[in-house]
Amino acid sequence: MTTEFLGLRLAHPIVNASGTFDAIAARRAFGDALLARFPFAAFVSKTVTLEPRQGNPPPRLWELAGGMINSIGLPNKGLAGYLEHDLPQLAELPVPLIVNVMGFSREQVAELVRAFGERDEVAALELNVSCPNVKTGMVMGADPGETAALLDAVRPLTAKPLIVKLTPNCSSPGDVAAAAAEHGADAVSLVNTLRGMAFHPRRLGVPWLGGGTGGVSGPAVRAVALAQVAEVRARVAIPIVGMGGLQSGRHAQDLMQAGADVVAVGTESFRDPLAGRRVATELCEIRANSGIVRLPGADGREPIAHNA
Ligand code: SIN
């Protein structure tokens, strides 16, 4: 079930949502077995900012009946730390690397795009203009004019594909997607998390999350994701990476029928680190049974090959 995406030949259409699978920690835990059975057809990194960040104060997570709220706040080593420590390790993964970046100004995003644009290890960049857990990151992604201005600033800086990660927390994701496409984005990804909050279970009126509010993800947002992917597909012709609460091949198929070309597994990977591989296999079975593609193996479970 190979998939062409931004000039990359992916073994299947399942990638990870940024920040939901720590490939470096997983490699430490599982060794090279992880590389042999890597769950995703491309790896999207956790967001990198120009300077190192500690992230938001704890608590950072709240479990919901249908998922969770995170208020992580983009902790990361910063550009220099990432280039020195993380990039060499992520370059060893058996799949293309997509680096997710976020800046607090256009100039910061430009610096990140310029730096990663020069690196052969990086196949594409995802611009995170949609994090609900930091102050200015989302402004660029909530307004079509701001998104257009950001693309105008960074598009000339690299020939690498640029994916714009859209926020669901705006009045019209379709308008923002159209602005991104018109100003040079190669793809859009959606949905990032929906802003939400929870109160402390024992202290009335006190927010639970250290950051006050956070981003809701998991099955609770799946219907929203489907509607927004369909809305964006009606507005743009560029590829869409669809995500939001998917847990199975059927959910992936639904997102693709709504208009996604590639789909990302997010929160489900916290429950099942191999969810990406399972979803790919289930999707393959669904498509084979509906005559969309032929099964790669007798029972469809093996082999889903990965890029070497
Ligand atoms: C976070 O680190 O706060 C989550 C990332 C995001 O929502 O973009």
Side-chain angles (χ1 to χ4, degrees):
M1 203 178 23
T2 55
T3 301
E4 292 294 320
F5 175 63
L6 302 176
L8 305 168
R9 191 162 177 272
L10 305 184
H12 55 76
I14 310 299
V15 303
N16 64 299
S18 170
T20 59
F21 187 88
D22 185 339
I24 294 175
R27 175 97 183 266
R28 253 196 319 270
F30 301 111
D32 286 350
L34 177 78
L35 305 188
R37 293 178 63 77
F38 199 70
F40 306 107
F43 179 71
V44 183
S45 78
K46 172 82 181 152
T47 301
V48 184
T49 54
L50 205 49
E51 301 300 332
R53 287 178 57 82
Q54 294 293 321
N56 288 344
R60 291 173 166 184
L61 293 177
W62 175 261
E63 188 176 349
L64 296 172
M68 59 188 241
I69 313 178
N70 88 77
S71 176
I72 306 295
L74 307 177
N76 75 101
K77 300 185 176 93
L79 175 62
Y82 185 90
L83 290 175
E84 186 181 347
H85 301 289
D86 290 3
L87 189 58
Q89 298 183 67
L90 295 176
E92 291 180 6
L93 298 178
V95 296
L97 173 63
I98 299 172
V99 174
N100 178 302
V101 298
M102 197 216 75
F104 291 88
S105 64
R106 275 177 225 148
E107 293 69 29
Q108 286 195 0
V109 182
E111 202 167 329
L112 290 156
V113 167
R114 207 180 285 111
F116 286 116
E118 290 171 357
R119 302 302 297 237
D120 291 341
E121 304 95 318
V122 177
L125 287 160
E126 183 173 59
L127 308 180
N128 184 359
V129 293
S130 50
C131 176
N133 299 332
V134 290
K135 287 286 176 272
T136 62
M138 209 170 67
V139 176
M140 288 185 230
D143 175 73
E146 288 289 333
T147 302
L150 176 67
L151 265 300
D152 288 346
V154 303
R155 179 67 282 179
L157 304 177
T158 181
K160 289 194 196 295
L162 294 177
I163 305 163
V164 176
K165 186 156 186 181
L166 302 174
T167 178
N169 304 308
C170 70
S171 55
S172 174
D175 285 350
V176 178
E182 278 161 27
H183 290 259
D186 297 284
V188 289
S189 52
L190 71 150
V191 294
N192 204 330
T193 53
L194 280 79
R195 196 185 303 105
M197 83 182 285
F199 282 103
H200 195 293
R202 290 174 301 283
R203 295 165 60 195
L204 285 183
V206 176
W208 172 257
L209 295 166
T213 59
V216 178
S217 64
V221 310
R222 196 162 58 238
V224 176
L226 281 174
Q228 295 208 356
V229 166
E231 177 190 333
V232 168
R233 175 45 77 217
R235 297 290 304 278
V236 301
I238 57 176
I240 295 175
V241 184
M243 70 193 88
L246 85 87
Q247 298 175 291
S248 68
R250 173 57 201 258
H251 298 157
Q253 175 66 18
D254 288 350
L255 269 169
M256 294 178 93
Q257 275 172 328
D261 300 271
V262 165
V263 293
V265 176
T267 303
E268 182 67 1
S269 293
F270 294 123
R271 208 176 58 78
D272 170 11
L274 290 180
R277 194 174 173 82
R278 174 177 55 75
V279 168
T281 301
E282 291 171 3
L283 177 64
C284 192
E285 284 171 347
I286 289 168
R287 301 197 127 207
N289 291 335
S290 63
I292 298 171
V293 292
R294 283 168 7 117
L295 282 170
D299 64 358
R301 296 200 176 278
E302 296 287 348
I304 286 177
H306 292 282
N307 294 358

